[in-house]
Amino acid sequence: MDLLKAERDENTCRKPMAASELIALGRQIEELERPKAAEKQAEAGRLHGRGIASVPANESYSRRYDSREKAAEAVGLSTATYSRVKQIANAAEGYTQVPGQPGWWRHHIDGQQVDLPTRERSSE
């Protein structure tokens, strides 16, 4: 994570990073932070007796962990702005998140709409 922040700092000293660069860096940071978020979710599940953690936003941050918030902070954007820019970048790259199905992505392949459980296109 420190190396990714150093890359951000080096790039911002030269010129402001483009939105696409911020999102690419943010995605890398999210991947690094995702295991910590899953660990916190499992811990909250054990504490609350469920597999899915739903720690309220107003509770202690030490109990709540969001990889998206960490990525947004690391690239210097608010969480809301980071989410909007990421959504635009996803749409520009040809896929969007499937509403109501977390982790599923809608792709447009050969003129057809296909929903897949990954952002990677397997049939191109």
Side-chain angles (χ1 to χ4, degrees):
M1 175 103 149
D2 291 334
L3 291 175
L4 293 173
K5 284 184 179 180
E7 179 183 339
R8 175 207 61 193
D9 292 343
E10 178 186 337
N11 286 337
T12 57
C13 289
R14 294 184 196 159
K15 64 176 185 168
M17 293 180 81
S20 59
E21 293 172 317
L22 290 173
I23 294 305
L25 185 59
R27 285 178 180 156
Q28 291 175 330
I29 292 168
E30 279 187 80
E31 287 298 317
L32 292 173
E33 294 293 327
R34 203 163 277 132
K36 292 179 190 173
E39 183 181 309
K40 285 287 190 175
Q41 184 179 19
E43 178 185 324
R46 286 189 296 274
L47 290 174
H48 299 290
R50 304 197 91 201
I52 299 173
S54 58
V55 179
N58 61 354
E59 280 204 26
S60 168
Y61 189 74
S62 64
R63 292 186 54 209
R64 190 170 168 271
Y65 198 95
D66 187 350
S67 57
R68 183 189 57 196
E69 288 177 2
K70 293 291 186 180
E73 179 185 329
V75 298
L77 298 174
S78 71
T79 305
T81 301
Y82 175 75
S83 294
R84 284 191 293 261
V85 172
K86 187 173 157 187
Q87 187 176 21
I88 291 167
N90 288 343
E93 292 169 4
Y95 55 85
T96 57
Q97 200 160 11
V98 177
Q101 293 184 312
W104 281 75
W105 297 88
R106 182 158 290 151
H107 301 264
H108 297 280
I109 301 171
D110 297 329
Q112 299 219 343
Q113 180 175 300
V114 179
D115 293 346
L116 300 171
T118 178
R119 286 192 318 208
E120 306 303 319
R121 295 181 187 190
S122 59
S123 60
E124 281 194 308

